[in-house]
Amino acid sequence: MLKSIRGGFIMLKECISMSLSNIVSNRMRSFLTVLGILIGVTAVIALITTVSGVSGSLSSSFSSMGAGTLMVSVTGSDLKGGLTAEDLEQLRDMDVVDGVTPSVSLSTRVSRGGSYESSISVSGKNAYYFQNTEDLLLRGRALNVVDEDNRSFVCWINQDMVDSFFFGVDPVGEYLYINGVPFLVSGIVSDDSSTSVASMIGGSADILIPYTTALKLNNASEVTSFTVYLAEGADSEAAASALESEMDAMFSYEEDCFTVTAMTGIEDAMEEMLSMMTALLAGIASISLVVGGIGIMNMMLTSVTERTTEIGLKKALGALPWQIQAQFLIESFLLSMIGGILGVALGLVLSFALSRAMGTRFAISLGAIALGAGFSAAVGIIFGWAPARKASRLNPIDALRSM
């Protein structure tokens, strides 16, 4: 038994040695064959690893921006088109709710002196939004409850508006005309004020005003979009259910009057979409692996033809068909794995460079490496099988006759 195992190891060693010798002796042909596998594995590793890094960064961003929030969109009913200030106050009083931020958007003309711009994005917010959004206010005072109650004509502008209308002038304390109405500039807000998922999806506004004032400009009295900030420790699904029950009562239990979206649902949908994208890209990249496998088959078939005499001599000396087949399979496997290993290394380097260029985190995906290496091994065996079988079935007399 031990003698048989030892003999098997010796034969395997000899097969590997002869395979490597044949690969080295045909350097250019071997290089071109390996190149197809290398490109395919590089593409698979780079794409999967890069997409995984982007997915991780997006998930972290979504989690940090939308942790503990619910987004509510109101379509309304025949009797009630949206929520009033009293309705919002009722929602704020819920145990699971820490605060509510209405969002009233409008696009309007803004002017000052002889300068004007059309289609400027204006968003109505409340005092809680300023309190809850870090690094929002760069200079000036924050929006307060008095501004909301009095529907004050005050505004907060971003740097683009400062550059457009107050070049060389301190804007705080100056007036800016929004839809022909003078608004007192009370502060400057950050351009990156979209620190919530709702703001990111809808885009950040150039000008912020009290939401009650925005409703007045829109000739409206009810809010149709707002964000609910949950109390610390509140479960988002349970809170969403409680919020829906409260709002159902407000709309007299009519159906399809509003939609409550939890961040977990958005994250799950995003992860599913990214997973599908990863699978699609990996599938496209894998096509080049198949092309590389065809290259291996072509090389091995050529090798069988060139080494007909060698095969005949081995068979004449007593080599069994499975031994001949094993030698050619090992050679095909080694060619594919050389390309696979080089492809994994090059793919990780490329993925690292892409991650640095896009500003996303780089994380080595063991699954991608396993897929690349496994696919390489499979390609080497599958596409090397036919040439190896052809070599093992050669008639030794016909092979020796070609000498």
Side-chain angles (χ1 to χ4, degrees), residues 144-203:
N144 55 48
V145 178
V146 176
D147 295 322
E148 296 177 39
D149 294 341
N150 294 336
R151 298 183 180 181
S152 302
F153 292 103
V154 290
C155 68
W156 289 259
I157 62 176
N158 65 11
Q159 190 58 47
D160 288 341
M161 293 294 97
V162 174
D163 295 338
S164 297
F165 296 104
F166 299 96
F167 185 76
V169 178
D170 183 3
V172 178
E174 297 290 331
Y175 282 89
L176 187 65
Y177 286 79
I178 301 175
N179 200 24
V181 179
F183 278 73
L184 178 67
V185 178
S186 298
I188 301 173
V189 293
S190 169
D191 289 327
D192 296 325
S193 58
S194 55
T195 54
S196 68
V197 174
S199 299
M200 190 180 75
I201 294 174

Side-chain angles (χ1 to χ4, degrees), residues 73-84 87 221-225 250-251 257-258:
S73 176
V74 179
T75 53
S77 64
D78 293 336
L79 299 177
K80 188 178 180 68
L83 299 188
T84 63
D87 294 330
S221 58
E222 296 171 319
V223 174
T224 58
S225 177
M250 292 179 180
F251 286 94
C257 292
F258 59 88

Side-chain angles (χ1 to χ4, degrees), residues 69-379:
T69 62
L70 300 173
M71 294 188 296
V72 182
S73 176
V74 179
T75 53
S77 64
D78 293 336
L79 299 177
K80 188 178 180 68
L83 299 188
T84 63
E86 291 74 20
D87 294 330
L88 295 176
E89 188 65 35
Q90 183 177 334
L91 296 179
R92 273 193 291 265
D93 292 338
M94 294 176 63
D95 293 335
V96 294
V97 175
D98 184 64
V100 176
T101 296
S103 181
V104 182
S105 301
L106 59 149
S107 178
T108 187
R109 174 189 170 104
V110 176
S111 62
R112 179 179 180 268
S115 302
Y116 70 92
E117 288 189 22
S118 301
S119 302
I120 296 298
S121 175
V122 179
S123 182
K125 299 293 184 182
N126 63 353
Y128 183 83
Y129 177 77
F130 275 71
Q131 296 168 11
N132 195 65
T133 308
E134 296 181 1
D135 303 324
L136 172 64
L137 187 65
L138 298 179
R139 194 153 56 87
R141 70 170 182 86
L143 192 157
N144 55 48
V145 178
V146 176
D147 295 322
E148 296 177 39
D149 294 341
N150 294 336
R151 298 183 180 181
S152 302
F153 292 103
V154 290
C155 68
W156 289 259
I157 62 176
N158 65 11
Q159 190 58 47
D160 288 341
M161 293 294 97
V162 174
D163 295 338
S164 297
F165 296 104
F166 299 96
F167 185 76
V169 178
D170 183 3
V172 178
E174 297 290 331
Y175 282 89
L176 187 65
Y177 286 79
I178 301 175
N179 200 24
V181 179
F183 278 73
L184 178 67
V185 178
S186 298
I188 301 173
V189 293
S190 169
D191 289 327
D192 296 325
S193 58
S194 55
T195 54
S196 68
V197 174
S199 299
M200 190 180 75
I201 294 174
S204 58
D206 296 309
I207 302 174
L208 301 180
I209 62 176
Y211 84 93
T212 50
T213 308
L215 287 173
K216 185 176 181 180
L217 291 179
N218 273 344
N219 294 318
S221 58
E222 296 171 319
V223 174
T224 58
S225 177
F226 58 93
T227 302
V228 176
Y229 293 82
L230 303 182
E232 187 175 352
D235 179 73
S236 61
E237 292 186 6
S241 179
L243 185 68
E244 288 173 354
S245 298
E246 193 75 20
M247 292 185 65
D248 278 335
M250 292 179 180
F251 286 94
S252 303
Y253 298 96
E254 289 193 36
E255 295 183 356
D256 302 325
C257 292
F258 59 88
T259 302
V260 178
T261 306
M263 276 308 303
T264 52
I266 296 178
E267 289 182 35
D268 291 343
M270 182 196 69
E271 288 178 3
E272 183 179 353
M273 180 183 67
L274 288 173
S275 296
M276 292 175 59
M277 186 186 302
T278 302
L280 177 63
L281 292 174
I284 294 172
S286 298
I287 294 174
S288 58
L289 279 174
V290 176
V291 174
I294 294 173
I296 287 178
M297 179 183 285
N298 181 57
M299 177 184 170
M300 296 307 299
L301 286 171
T302 304
S303 181
V304 169
T305 303
E306 292 176 348
R307 296 160 64 185
T308 301
T309 303
E310 175 191 333
I311 296 168
L313 284 172
K314 287 181 177 179
K315 283 199 166 186
L317 293 172
L320 298 174
W322 71 266
Q323 293 173 324
I324 302 293
Q325 187 170 351
Q327 180 185 341
F328 281 88
L329 267 179
I330 289 171
E331 186 173 328
S332 172
F333 176 79
L334 287 176
L335 272 171
S336 186
M337 286 308 297
I338 290 171
I341 293 169
L342 293 175
V344 167
L346 186 59
L348 290 175
V349 172
L350 182 59
S351 178
F352 177 77
L354 289 173
S355 298
R356 291 293 297 271
M358 293 187 295
T360 58
R361 68 182 183 89
F362 170 73
I364 295 177
S365 173
L366 297 180
I369 294 175
L371 178 64
F375 213 139
S376 299
V379 164

